[in-house]
Structures are given as C-alpha cells and as structure tokens.
Amino acid sequence: MNGDSTVGVLGAASLVGRPLLARLVAAGWSVRAFSRRVPPSSAGDGVSWHAPGCTDAGFVPRWVALCPLWAVPD
C-alpha cells in the first residue's frame, strides 16, 4: 500500500467488526481497533486495541464506524 496504511475501526468488537479486522489485517492494513471492551481473545491478532477517547493510538487517517453514534466520545 502507498502512504499511511493505518485504519481505525470504531465498534471493533461488534459482530461485524471482528471479521472486518481480520480482513483488514490480511490486506496489509495497520489496524487500530476501538471498543468499550477488549475481547479476551484479542492477543496476537495483529490489531492494536484501544478504549474510546484514548490518547495513545497515534494519528489515524482513515476510519470505519460500526458503533452507535451516541457511543462516540465528544
């Protein structure tokens, strides 16, 4: 991929989010997953997990939102 290949996924632990994460990693994306709860089986999946509103995720140029809008912090 050209340029920054980082993508953030809001609602990453959802029914749709988990399969999407696997596809993004397989396609070579650097994935930052955001969820109110980190799944226990997330270790070693190639995804960087974060809580919403965190400040340590770095710059994320592309986003996929799978969460309800009211769950996104201000």
Side-chain angles (χ1 to χ4, degrees):
M1 283 186 194
N2 296 332
D4 191 350
S5 61
T6 301
V7 63
V9 180
L10 300 172
S14 70
L15 186 62
V16 174
R18 292 303 299 226
L20 176 63
L21 298 179
R23 287 179 165 254
L24 289 169
V25 169
W29 288 92
S30 174
V31 180
R32 306 282 195 287
F34 294 82
S35 179
R36 291 177 284 176
R37 63 194 187 306
V38 175
S41 62
S42 64
D45 61 4
V47 175
S48 174
W49 285 88
H50 304 276
C54 76
T55 58
D56 64 345
F59 178 69
V60 181
R62 294 169 191 83
W63 290 91
V64 175
L66 303 173
C67 64
L69 289 179
W70 60 85
V72 178
D74 290 334

